[in-house]
Amino acid sequence: DVKVTQSSRYLVKRTGEKVFLECVQDMDHENMFWYRQDPGLGLRLIYFSYDVKMKEKGDIPEGYSVSREKKERFSLILESASTNQTSMYLCASNGGNSPLHFGNGTRLTVT
Amino acid sequence: GIQVEQSPPDLILQEGANSTLRCNFSDSVNNLQWFHQNPWGQLINLFYIPSGTKQNGRLSATTVATERYSLLYISSSQTTDSGVYFCAVDYSGGGADGLTFGKGTHLIIQP
């Protein structure tokens, strides 16, 4: 079974803090993704990566950056957290044209 | 970008009932996937179905790519089927550009 692991289930941070969300997959997938999910807005793609050290902007990249130094790990960085970044963050991975698998999600609250 | 519309937005059924969820998309797609998000927020991949019909237990899905829609059938519903069902499409090919999600169908199965 594919396993996508997100480092934290719940996270509370203060406005202005730098926040790191970590995601690790164990299936040697080339592609990794970060989505955020908000009520009424559904799932929106923030960033994705199709190879080590490669990254592409999704639909809502503003205020975020990412890092992929190793194939199995994809990190989402909030450079200076703001209250409008309070959300559920979901990491996912797949290999080419294959089913997408999600982690359990990190519910981030910025106060 | 591509539009993905799901219907109905909400559905309440008694245990044992059957249901059909619909997903319409506005452009040609390379693949289509169905997901179930349980009440704890976990997103589970149900089907990878760019075309044709697949079955998995009480669930089945059909995609008619030429007419730009997909249907998810749930038979003999159980309370554990409750949650939100998402349809998601990839219209750019290669699987590495991320999926575009519909807003989901919120299903409640009452005992």
Side-chain angles (χ1 to χ4, degrees), chain A residues 40-108:
Chain A
L41 297 175
L43 278 88
R44 294 177 292 167
L45 182 63
I46 305 171
Y47 266 99
F48 61 96
S49 168
Y50 53 87
D51 202 351
V52 176
K53 297 193 185 296
M54 306 302 290
K55 59 184 179 183
E56 296 287 343
K57 293 180 180 179
D59 299 318
I60 51 163
E62 296 79 18
Y64 303 94
S65 63
V66 290
S67 172
R68 194 160 180 206
E69 295 297 317
K70 293 184 178 182
K71 190 174 185 180
E72 68 271 18
R73 186 179 297 270
F74 192 35
S75 303
L76 180 69
I77 304 155
L78 286 65
E79 297 291 343
S80 177
S82 64
T83 55
N84 63 13
Q85 292 178 310
T86 291
S87 187
M88 169 71 95
Y89 290 88
L90 293 154
C91 176
S93 73
N94 73 350
N97 279 319
S98 67
L100 190 66
H101 295 273
F102 281 88
N104 285 339
T106 295
R107 192 169 293 281
L108 173 67

Side-chain angles (χ1 to χ4, degrees), chain B residues 22-29 63-70:
Chain B
R22 187 176 180 100
C23 172
N24 292 332
F25 41 96
S26 61
D27 206 342
S28 300
V29 298
T63 298
V64 184
T66 53
E67 297 187 22
R68 300 181 185 170
Y69 74 90
S70 183

Side-chain angles (χ1 to χ4, degrees), chain A residues 9 35 37 48 97 100 104, chain B residues 33 37 40 42 45 96 99:
Chain A
R9 189 79 174 103
Y35 286 87
Q37 184 177 22
F48 61 96
N97 279 319
L100 190 66
N104 285 339
Chain B
Q33 302 185 39
Q37 187 169 39
W40 296 272
Q42 175 68 39
N45 194 299
L99 297 176

